[in-house]
Amino acid sequence: MTDAEITTADALAQLSFLVLRTIEQTSAAHGLSPAQARMLGILRDREPLMTELGARLGLDKSSVTGLVDRAERRGLVERFRSAVDGRAIHVRLTPEGRERTARAEADFTAAIARLVSGLSAAEVAQLTRIAGRVVADAP
Amino acid sequence: MTDAEITTADALAQLSFLVLRTIEQTSAAHGLSPAQARMLGILRDREPLMTELGARLGLDKSSVTGLVDRAERRGLVERFRSAVDGRAIHVRLTPEGRERTARAEADFTAAIARLVSGLSAAEVAQLTRIAGRVVADAP
DNA sequence: TATTGTTATACTCTATAACTATA
DNA sequence: TATAGTTATAGAGTATAACAATA
């Protein structure tokens, strides 16, 4: 009974703050904001329309315009017109953006490994599996 | 082999975005920003100095000034001078702030319960225990 | 008319640097 | 001198509402 009891909500909230802080730190080390890092991660294997990007990020279209504007100004992404719809615009990584994304992700993976380094291999596997289930089940 | 393999880093990043979105939604339903909700949660059982609050939140003192300003304007918190140090200022919840905090937390707890409703009771317990361990081990 | 995207505007959040008041 | 806090300023991120261009 020396360990404090902790609710699921508390444990997940605190774990999330920890992971988000890790994302902030590794992003910042590569000159990226967390929002940009998240967008670049999505663009790693897609060239979505502005609207689709907004849907994936859960952001309003005007927010996506600003996010893409700032990333484009930094040479990380570029816009190009849809071949089939004159109104629609795709976004994709530039080579520079792709490199930065890869390096930031490698650092993030290493940081997460340090974060769970106090767990046994079996516990890490359980955590990964259960977290993956929650994410997959989510609406 | 029908399930996609997922890395620990990916699973935790996605879970964290999911939890953060839940915090945003339940906060917004009570007229709070995520940053405010987090601050109010800290103030639930403390009356810290501005500096101590900043240390707990990991924020610069000027950021804390703004955060407390906006919360004070909404009647959620109040400042009061230290009895022992003429420079120092404590922050505490108002009765209104305490009520809002309690209601938002209850909603958040319910939302997290829905998030993990696809897991077995044993899995929820495992997730809670392991997440708690990671948080407790973190620097 | 409906949809795609941008612009104008406003607010929150955050940091750095300069400042005031107290220790 | 050093510390606690505020102010001035700047930039990112977000949303709502109004708009232009295309479907």
PDB file of all heavy atoms in Angstrom, chain B residues 20-50:
ATOM      1  N   LEU B  20      -5.522  14.007 -25.542  1.00  0.00           N
ATOM      2  CA  LEU B  20      -5.513  15.463 -25.592  1.00  0.00           C
ATOM      3  C   LEU B  20      -6.805  15.986 -26.209  1.00  0.00           C
ATOM      4  O   LEU B  20      -7.385  16.965 -25.729  1.00  0.00           O
ATOM      5  CB  LEU B  20      -4.313  15.951 -26.408  1.00  0.00           C
ATOM      6  CG  LEU B  20      -4.192  17.465 -26.488  1.00  0.00           C
ATOM      7  CD1 LEU B  20      -3.921  18.041 -25.099  1.00  0.00           C
ATOM      8  CD2 LEU B  20      -3.095  17.888 -27.460  1.00  0.00           C
ATOM      9  N   ARG B  21      -7.276  15.324 -27.275  1.00  0.00           N
ATOM     10  CA  ARG B  21      -8.528  15.754 -27.896  1.00  0.00           C
ATOM     11  C   ARG B  21      -9.673  15.610 -26.890  1.00  0.00           C
ATOM     12  O   ARG B  21     -10.568  16.442 -26.825  1.00  0.00           O
ATOM     13  CB  ARG B  21      -8.812  14.923 -29.152  1.00  0.00           C
ATOM     14  CG  ARG B  21      -9.784  15.627 -30.086  1.00  0.00           C
ATOM     15  CD  ARG B  21     -10.444  14.675 -31.055  1.00  0.00           C
ATOM     16  NE  ARG B  21      -9.487  13.916 -31.839  1.00  0.00           N
ATOM     17  CZ  ARG B  21      -9.804  12.825 -32.550  1.00  0.00           C
ATOM     18  NH1 ARG B  21     -11.053  12.385 -32.567  1.00  0.00           N
ATOM     19  NH2 ARG B  21      -8.894  12.171 -33.224  1.00  0.00           N
ATOM     20  N   THR B  22      -9.642  14.545 -26.106  1.00  0.00           N
ATOM     21  CA  THR B  22     -10.665  14.352 -25.074  1.00  0.00           C
ATOM     22  C   THR B  22     -10.602  15.473 -24.033  1.00  0.00           C
ATOM     23  O   THR B  22     -11.636  16.007 -23.619  1.00  0.00           O
ATOM     24  CB  THR B  22     -10.456  12.984 -24.392  1.00  0.00           C
ATOM     25  OG1 THR B  22     -10.468  11.963 -25.380  1.00  0.00           O
ATOM     26  CG2 THR B  22     -11.541  12.716 -23.368  1.00  0.00           C
ATOM     27  N   ILE B  23      -9.395  15.844 -23.648  1.00  0.00           N
ATOM     28  CA  ILE B  23      -9.240  16.953 -22.699  1.00  0.00           C
ATOM     29  C   ILE B  23      -9.781  18.238 -23.310  1.00  0.00           C
ATOM     30  O   ILE B  23     -10.517  18.990 -22.658  1.00  0.00           O
ATOM     31  CB  ILE B  23      -7.755  17.122 -22.309  1.00  0.00           C
ATOM     32  CG1 ILE B  23      -7.291  15.932 -21.462  1.00  0.00           C
ATOM     33  CG2 ILE B  23      -7.528  18.445 -21.574  1.00  0.00           C
ATOM     34  CD1 ILE B  23      -5.804  15.937 -21.145  1.00  0.00           C
ATOM     35  N   GLU B  24      -9.450  18.487 -24.577  1.00  0.00           N
ATOM     36  CA  GLU B  24      -9.925  19.697 -25.250  1.00  0.00           C
ATOM     37  C   GLU B  24     -11.446  19.743 -25.268  1.00  0.00           C
ATOM     38  O   GLU B  24     -12.050  20.778 -24.974  1.00  0.00           O
ATOM     39  CB  GLU B  24      -9.408  19.746 -26.687  1.00  0.00           C
ATOM     40  CG  GLU B  24      -8.002  20.286 -26.821  1.00  0.00           C
ATOM     41  CD  GLU B  24      -7.454  20.107 -28.228  1.00  0.00           C
ATOM     42  OE1 GLU B  24      -8.242  19.738 -29.137  1.00  0.00           O
ATOM     43  OE2 GLU B  24      -6.254  20.320 -28.406  1.00  0.00           O
ATOM     44  N   GLN B  25     -12.051  18.617 -25.631  1.00  0.00           N
ATOM     45  CA  GLN B  25     -13.509  18.593 -25.762  1.00  0.00           C
ATOM     46  C   GLN B  25     -14.206  18.771 -24.420  1.00  0.00           C
ATOM     47  O   GLN B  25     -15.142  19.565 -24.300  1.00  0.00           O
ATOM     48  CB  GLN B  25     -13.950  17.291 -26.427  1.00  0.00           C
ATOM     49  CG  GLN B  25     -13.583  17.245 -27.903  1.00  0.00           C
ATOM     50  CD  GLN B  25     -13.787  15.873 -28.517  1.00  0.00           C
ATOM     51  OE1 GLN B  25     -13.966  14.888 -27.797  1.00  0.00           O
ATOM     52  NE2 GLN B  25     -13.746  15.801 -29.841  1.00  0.00           N
ATOM     53  N   THR B  26     -13.752  18.038 -23.411  1.00  0.00           N
ATOM     54  CA  THR B  26     -14.439  18.162 -22.119  1.00  0.00           C
ATOM     55  C   THR B  26     -14.149  19.524 -21.493  1.00  0.00           C
ATOM     56  O   THR B  26     -15.009  20.094 -20.833  1.00  0.00           O
ATOM     57  CB  THR B  26     -14.045  17.024 -21.159  1.00  0.00           C
ATOM     58  OG1 THR B  26     -12.634  16.990 -20.987  1.00  0.00           O
ATOM     59  CG2 THR B  26     -14.490  15.682 -21.700  1.00  0.00           C
ATOM     60  N   SER B  27     -12.944  20.071 -21.727  1.00  0.00           N
ATOM     61  CA  SER B  27     -12.656  21.410 -21.225  1.00  0.00           C
ATOM     62  C   SER B  27     -13.574  22.426 -21.890  1.00  0.00           C
ATOM     63  O   SER B  27     -14.206  23.252 -21.223  1.00  0.00           O
ATOM     64  CB  SER B  27     -11.198  21.794 -21.504  1.00  0.00           C
ATOM     65  OG  SER B  27     -10.300  20.875 -20.928  1.00  0.00           O
ATOM     66  N   ALA B  28     -13.619  22.346 -23.232  1.00  0.00           N
ATOM     67  CA  ALA B  28     -14.403  23.319 -23.986  1.00  0.00           C
ATOM     68  C   ALA B  28     -15.868  23.289 -23.573  1.00  0.00           C
ATOM     69  O   ALA B  28     -16.529  24.326 -23.518  1.00  0.00           O
ATOM     70  CB  ALA B  28     -14.266  23.054 -25.487  1.00  0.00           C
ATOM     71  N   ALA B  29     -16.372  22.094 -23.244  1.00  0.00           N
ATOM     72  CA  ALA B  29     -17.771  21.966 -22.837  1.00  0.00           C
ATOM     73  C   ALA B  29     -18.038  22.734 -21.541  1.00  0.00           C
ATOM     74  O   ALA B  29     -19.185  23.036 -21.217  1.00  0.00           O
ATOM     75  CB  ALA B  29     -18.132  20.497 -22.666  1.00  0.00           C
ATOM     76  N   HIS B  30     -16.969  23.041 -20.808  1.00  0.00           N
ATOM     77  CA  HIS B  30     -17.121  23.802 -19.564  1.00  0.00           C
ATOM     78  C   HIS B  30     -16.482  25.184 -19.677  1.00  0.00           C
ATOM     79  O   HIS B  30     -16.195  25.824 -18.670  1.00  0.00           O
ATOM     80  CB  HIS B  30     -16.522  23.018 -18.399  1.00  0.00           C
ATOM     81  CG  HIS B  30     -17.256  21.744 -18.116  1.00  0.00           C
ATOM     82  ND1 HIS B  30     -18.330  21.678 -17.260  1.00  0.00           N
ATOM     83  CD2 HIS B  30     -17.114  20.484 -18.612  1.00  0.00           C
ATOM     84  CE1 HIS B  30     -18.802  20.441 -17.230  1.00  0.00           C
ATOM     85  NE2 HIS B  30     -18.084  19.700 -18.037  1.00  0.00           N
ATOM     86  N   GLY B  31     -16.235  25.617 -20.911  1.00  0.00           N
ATOM     87  CA  GLY B  31     -15.703  26.953 -21.133  1.00  0.00           C
ATOM     88  C   GLY B  31     -14.263  27.127 -20.717  1.00  0.00           C
ATOM     89  O   GLY B  31     -13.832  28.231 -20.367  1.00  0.00           O
ATOM     90  N   LEU B  32     -13.485  26.018 -20.756  1.00  0.00           N
ATOM     91  CA  LEU B  32     -12.082  26.098 -20.364  1.00  0.00           C
ATOM     92  C   LEU B  32     -11.184  25.711 -21.533  1.00  0.00           C
ATOM     93  O   LEU B  32     -11.551  24.877 -22.341  1.00  0.00           O
ATOM     94  CB  LEU B  32     -11.801  25.134 -19.201  1.00  0.00           C
ATOM     95  CG  LEU B  32     -12.632  25.307 -17.937  1.00  0.00           C
ATOM     96  CD1 LEU B  32     -12.339  24.167 -16.966  1.00  0.00           C
ATOM     97  CD2 LEU B  32     -12.341  26.645 -17.290  1.00  0.00           C
ATOM     98  N   SER B  33     -10.022  26.309 -21.597  1.00  0.00           N
ATOM     99  CA  SER B  33      -9.006  25.844 -22.541  1.00  0.00           C
ATOM    100  C   SER B  33      -8.247  24.697 -21.879  1.00  0.00           C
ATOM    101  O   SER B  33      -8.289  24.543 -20.656  1.00  0.00           O
ATOM    102  CB  SER B  33      -8.048  26.976 -22.861  1.00  0.00           C
ATOM    103  OG  SER B  33      -7.280  27.273 -21.722  1.00  0.00           O
ATOM    104  N   PRO B  34      -7.541  23.875 -22.663  1.00  0.00           N
ATOM    105  CA  PRO B  34      -6.760  22.784 -22.065  1.00  0.00           C
ATOM    106  C   PRO B  34      -5.732  23.304 -21.059  1.00  0.00           C
ATOM    107  O   PRO B  34      -5.551  22.693 -19.996  1.00  0.00           O
ATOM    108  CB  PRO B  34      -6.072  22.150 -23.269  1.00  0.00           C
ATOM    109  CG  PRO B  34      -6.951  22.481 -24.429  1.00  0.00           C
ATOM    110  CD  PRO B  34      -7.529  23.820 -24.135  1.00  0.00           C
ATOM    111  N   ALA B  35      -5.086  24.413 -21.386  1.00  0.00           N
ATOM    112  CA  ALA B  35      -4.074  24.955 -20.471  1.00  0.00           C
ATOM    113  C   ALA B  35      -4.719  25.379 -19.151  1.00  0.00           C
ATOM    114  O   ALA B  35      -4.173  25.154 -18.066  1.00  0.00           O
ATOM    115  CB  ALA B  35      -3.366  26.146 -21.116  1.00  0.00           C
ATOM    116  N   GLN B  36      -5.892  25.995 -19.244  1.00  0.00           N
ATOM    117  CA  GLN B  36      -6.599  26.405 -18.035  1.00  0.00           C
ATOM    118  C   GLN B  36      -7.029  25.188 -17.231  1.00  0.00           C
ATOM    119  O   GLN B  36      -6.894  25.167 -16.003  1.00  0.00           O
ATOM    120  CB  GLN B  36      -7.824  27.215 -18.419  1.00  0.00           C
ATOM    121  CG  GLN B  36      -7.480  28.422 -19.250  1.00  0.00           C
ATOM    122  CD  GLN B  36      -7.987  29.697 -18.676  1.00  0.00           C
ATOM    123  OE1 GLN B  36      -9.029  29.702 -18.045  1.00  0.00           O
ATOM    124  NE2 GLN B  36      -7.264  30.762 -18.873  1.00  0.00           N
ATOM    125  N   ALA B  37      -7.563  24.187 -17.924  1.00  0.00           N
ATOM    126  CA  ALA B  37      -8.019  22.985 -17.225  1.00  0.00           C
ATOM    127  C   ALA B  37      -6.859  22.354 -16.468  1.00  0.00           C
ATOM    128  O   ALA B  37      -7.009  21.925 -15.316  1.00  0.00           O
ATOM    129  CB  ALA B  37      -8.610  21.996 -18.227  1.00  0.00           C
ATOM    130  N   ARG B  38      -5.699  22.329 -17.101  1.00  0.00           N
ATOM    131  CA  ARG B  38      -4.541  21.729 -16.448  1.00  0.00           C
ATOM    132  C   ARG B  38      -4.141  22.546 -15.216  1.00  0.00           C
ATOM    133  O   ARG B  38      -3.869  21.993 -14.152  1.00  0.00           O
ATOM    134  CB  ARG B  38      -3.382  21.673 -17.445  1.00  0.00           C
ATOM    135  CG  ARG B  38      -2.285  20.778 -16.971  1.00  0.00           C
ATOM    136  CD  ARG B  38      -1.170  20.678 -17.967  1.00  0.00           C
ATOM    137  NE  ARG B  38      -0.019  20.064 -17.340  1.00  0.00           N
ATOM    138  CZ  ARG B  38       1.233  20.312 -17.681  1.00  0.00           C
ATOM    139  NH1 ARG B  38       1.493  21.162 -18.648  1.00  0.00           N
ATOM    140  NH2 ARG B  38       2.221  19.719 -17.061  1.00  0.00           N
ATOM    141  N   MET B  39      -4.139  23.863 -15.357  1.00  0.00           N
ATOM    142  CA  MET B  39      -3.792  24.716 -14.225  1.00  0.00           C
ATOM    143  C   MET B  39      -4.803  24.536 -13.087  1.00  0.00           C
ATOM    144  O   MET B  39      -4.424  24.379 -11.919  1.00  0.00           O
ATOM    145  CB  MET B  39      -3.760  26.182 -14.658  1.00  0.00           C
ATOM    146  CG  MET B  39      -3.528  27.131 -13.491  1.00  0.00           C
ATOM    147  SD  MET B  39      -3.399  28.854 -13.969  1.00  0.00           S
ATOM    148  CE  MET B  39      -5.078  29.221 -14.456  1.00  0.00           C
ATOM    149  N   LEU B  40      -6.067  24.528 -13.402  1.00  0.00           N
ATOM    150  CA  LEU B  40      -7.088  24.373 -12.362  1.00  0.00           C
ATOM    151  C   LEU B  40      -6.928  23.030 -11.649  1.00  0.00           C
ATOM    152  O   LEU B  40      -7.112  22.941 -10.432  1.00  0.00           O
ATOM    153  CB  LEU B  40      -8.496  24.486 -12.974  1.00  0.00           C
ATOM    154  CG  LEU B  40      -8.845  25.833 -13.619  1.00  0.00           C
ATOM    155  CD1 LEU B  40     -10.311  25.876 -14.008  1.00  0.00           C
ATOM    156  CD2 LEU B  40      -8.515  27.005 -12.715  1.00  0.00           C
ATOM    157  N   GLY B  41      -6.566  21.992 -12.415  1.00  0.00           N
ATOM    158  CA  GLY B  41      -6.334  20.684 -11.798  1.00  0.00           C
ATOM    159  C   GLY B  41      -5.211  20.734 -10.776  1.00  0.00           C
ATOM    160  O   GLY B  41      -5.280  20.087  -9.723  1.00  0.00           O
ATOM    161  N   ILE B  42      -4.190  21.515 -11.062  1.00  0.00           N
ATOM    162  CA  ILE B  42      -3.078  21.661 -10.116  1.00  0.00           C
ATOM    163  C   ILE B  42      -3.517  22.439  -8.884  1.00  0.00           C
ATOM    164  O   ILE B  42      -3.109  22.137  -7.756  1.00  0.00           O
ATOM    165  CB  ILE B  42      -1.883  22.358 -10.809  1.00  0.00           C
ATOM    166  CG1 ILE B  42      -1.251  21.400 -11.812  1.00  0.00           C
ATOM    167  CG2 ILE B  42      -0.862  22.858  -9.794  1.00  0.00           C
ATOM    168  CD1 ILE B  42      -0.139  21.994 -12.649  1.00  0.00           C
ATOM    169  N   LEU B  43      -4.367  23.439  -9.111  1.00  0.00           N
ATOM    170  CA  LEU B  43      -4.794  24.303  -8.003  1.00  0.00           C
ATOM    171  C   LEU B  43      -5.853  23.635  -7.120  1.00  0.00           C
ATOM    172  O   LEU B  43      -6.209  24.173  -6.073  1.00  0.00           O
ATOM    173  CB  LEU B  43      -5.359  25.626  -8.553  1.00  0.00           C
ATOM    174  CG  LEU B  43      -4.349  26.503  -9.294  1.00  0.00           C
ATOM    175  CD1 LEU B  43      -5.025  27.760  -9.798  1.00  0.00           C
ATOM    176  CD2 LEU B  43      -3.165  26.845  -8.397  1.00  0.00           C
ATOM    177  N   ARG B  44      -6.321  22.474  -7.539  1.00  0.00           N
ATOM    178  CA  ARG B  44      -7.376  21.793  -6.789  1.00  0.00           C
ATOM    179  C   ARG B  44      -6.973  21.546  -5.336  1.00  0.00           C
ATOM    180  O   ARG B  44      -7.775  21.685  -4.424  1.00  0.00           O
ATOM    181  CB  ARG B  44      -7.715  20.473  -7.466  1.00  0.00           C
ATOM    182  CG  ARG B  44      -8.991  19.842  -7.005  1.00  0.00           C
ATOM    183  CD  ARG B  44      -9.153  18.504  -7.674  1.00  0.00           C
ATOM    184  NE  ARG B  44      -7.879  17.794  -7.721  1.00  0.00           N
ATOM    185  CZ  ARG B  44      -7.695  16.581  -8.245  1.00  0.00           C
ATOM    186  NH1 ARG B  44      -8.705  15.962  -8.803  1.00  0.00           N
ATOM    187  NH2 ARG B  44      -6.513  15.997  -8.228  1.00  0.00           N
ATOM    188  N   ASP B  45      -5.687  21.189  -5.128  1.00  0.00           N
ATOM    189  CA  ASP B  45      -5.279  20.969  -3.739  1.00  0.00           C
ATOM    190  C   ASP B  45      -3.976  21.676  -3.374  1.00  0.00           C
ATOM    191  O   ASP B  45      -3.146  21.137  -2.649  1.00  0.00           O
ATOM    192  CB  ASP B  45      -5.196  19.458  -3.428  1.00  0.00           C
ATOM    193  CG  ASP B  45      -4.814  18.643  -4.631  1.00  0.00           C
ATOM    194  OD1 ASP B  45      -3.827  19.011  -5.305  1.00  0.00           O
ATOM    195  OD2 ASP B  45      -5.517  17.672  -4.932  1.00  0.00           O
ATOM    196  N   ARG B  46      -3.811  22.887  -3.922  1.00  0.00           N
ATOM    197  CA  ARG B  46      -2.634  23.709  -3.609  1.00  0.00           C
ATOM    198  C   ARG B  46      -2.962  25.180  -3.759  1.00  0.00           C
ATOM    199  O   ARG B  46      -3.898  25.525  -4.481  1.00  0.00           O
ATOM    200  CB  ARG B  46      -1.493  23.432  -4.590  1.00  0.00           C
ATOM    201  CG  ARG B  46      -0.791  22.120  -4.410  1.00  0.00           C
ATOM    202  CD  ARG B  46       0.131  21.871  -5.576  1.00  0.00           C
ATOM    203  NE  ARG B  46       0.393  20.444  -5.733  1.00  0.00           N
ATOM    204  CZ  ARG B  46      -0.357  19.618  -6.431  1.00  0.00           C
ATOM    205  NH1 ARG B  46      -1.425  20.071  -7.049  1.00  0.00           N
ATOM    206  NH2 ARG B  46      -0.054  18.346  -6.497  1.00  0.00           N
ATOM    207  N   GLU B  47      -2.166  26.050  -3.090  1.00  0.00           N
ATOM    208  CA  GLU B  47      -2.279  27.496  -3.312  1.00  0.00           C
ATOM    209  C   GLU B  47      -0.880  28.029  -3.568  1.00  0.00           C
ATOM    210  O   GLU B  47      -0.328  28.785  -2.778  1.00  0.00           O
ATOM    211  CB  GLU B  47      -2.928  28.173  -2.106  1.00  0.00           C
ATOM    212  CG  GLU B  47      -4.342  27.667  -1.830  1.00  0.00           C
ATOM    213  CD  GLU B  47      -5.061  28.439  -0.729  1.00  0.00           C
ATOM    214  OE1 GLU B  47      -4.416  29.252  -0.034  1.00  0.00           O
ATOM    215  OE2 GLU B  47      -6.282  28.216  -0.578  1.00  0.00           O
ATOM    216  N   PRO B  48      -0.282  27.634  -4.689  1.00  0.00           N
ATOM    217  CA  PRO B  48       1.143  27.884  -4.933  1.00  0.00           C
ATOM    218  C   PRO B  48       1.459  29.339  -5.264  1.00  0.00           C
ATOM    219  O   PRO B  48       0.560  30.120  -5.616  1.00  0.00           O
ATOM    220  CB  PRO B  48       1.424  27.018  -6.162  1.00  0.00           C
ATOM    221  CG  PRO B  48       0.129  27.016  -6.900  1.00  0.00           C
ATOM    222  CD  PRO B  48      -0.942  27.005  -5.840  1.00  0.00           C
ATOM    223  N   LEU B  49       2.737  29.687  -5.161  1.00  0.00           N
ATOM    224  CA  LEU B  49       3.223  30.952  -5.691  1.00  0.00           C
ATOM    225  C   LEU B  49       3.194  30.885  -7.215  1.00  0.00           C
ATOM    226  O   LEU B  49       3.226  29.800  -7.795  1.00  0.00           O
ATOM    227  CB  LEU B  49       4.660  31.200  -5.222  1.00  0.00           C
ATOM    228  CG  LEU B  49       4.854  31.297  -3.706  1.00  0.00           C
ATOM    229  CD1 LEU B  49       6.343  31.490  -3.392  1.00  0.00           C
ATOM    230  CD2 LEU B  49       4.034  32.434  -3.139  1.00  0.00           C
ATOM    231  N   MET B  50       3.176  32.041  -7.846  1.00  0.00           N
ATOM    232  CA  MET B  50       3.224  32.102  -9.316  1.00  0.00           C
ATOM    233  C   MET B  50       4.409  31.283  -9.833  1.00  0.00           C
ATOM    234  O   MET B  50       4.284  30.514 -10.791  1.00  0.00           O
ATOM    235  CB  MET B  50       3.374  33.565  -9.763  1.00  0.00           C
ATOM    236  CG  MET B  50       2.192  34.451  -9.411  1.00  0.00           C
ATOM    237  SD  MET B  50       0.704  34.076 -10.364  1.00  0.00           S
ATOM    238  CE  MET B  50       1.110  34.820 -11.948  1.00  0.00           C
TER     239      MET B  50
END
